[in-house]
Amino acid sequence: MTDEVLKAADALVSAFGEGRLDDYFAAFAPDATFVFHTTAERLTSTADYRTLWNSWVDEDCFRVLACTSTGRLVQLLGETAVFSHEVKTTVSTTAGEETLRERETIVFRHQESGRWLAVHEHLSPAAGA
């Protein structure tokens, strides 16, 4: 099962890093929650996150250029899995390019279909970043 969770995480990170937004947002349950150090409030749905993302694009020409995942760990808890890793993301905005170093935890829930779907994401700055 760990390999299946890693495949789901790889697909999510790959879609994010390659700007395949429909694939990226489809990796999350509609009622997924999101806690980002860059936003003041918890987001309580994937639709809310997509709305926020669209505002970043509209207001600042936000675009992800690349993303790499290291230090990956999967903890299986029955039908739930906790995936944590370190991410290095390069983004572009009207201010130019920037590389971010962050730590991320994604909670996956096993679906009846056999798919692992993300139900929660927590992103924080990496130590020393």
Side-chain angles (χ1 to χ4, degrees):
M1 260 198 225
T2 298
D3 289 343
E4 295 171 10
V5 175
L6 285 172
K7 279 184 178 179
D10 286 344
L12 186 154
V13 171
S14 176
F16 175 80
E18 295 170 8
R20 292 182 286 110
L21 297 182
D22 289 339
D23 293 339
Y24 173 62
F25 285 108
F28 293 97
D31 62 347
T33 55
F34 304 85
V35 176
F36 302 134
H37 64 97
T38 56
T39 59
E41 297 178 0
R42 176 181 50 238
L43 303 173
T44 58
S45 73
T46 300
D48 287 347
Y49 179 19
R50 187 131 197 193
T51 297
L52 177 62
W53 185 289
N54 289 339
S55 75
W56 295 336
V57 171
D58 292 344
E59 296 167 12
D60 209 20
C61 297
F62 177 81
R63 189 166 48 110
V64 175
L65 302 177
C67 183
T68 56
S69 169
T70 59
R72 301 161 2 128
L73 174 67
V74 173
Q75 298 168 279
L76 291 173
L77 308 165
E79 296 296 304
T80 304
V82 178
F83 170 76
S84 57
H85 64 149
E86 297 170 16
V87 288
K88 178 180 168 186
T89 306
T90 303
V91 300
S92 173
T93 65
T94 54
E97 288 186 17
E98 179 181 9
T99 298
L100 309 167
R101 296 185 193 298
E102 298 162 309
R103 294 182 297 180
E104 181 175 52
T105 300
I106 303 171
V107 178
F108 288 91
R109 180 177 59 221
H110 193 244
Q111 307 297 298
E112 287 183 21
S113 66
R115 180 178 182 210
W116 287 89
L117 199 59
V119 296
H120 179 74
E121 178 181 353
H122 187 141
L123 188 67
S124 60

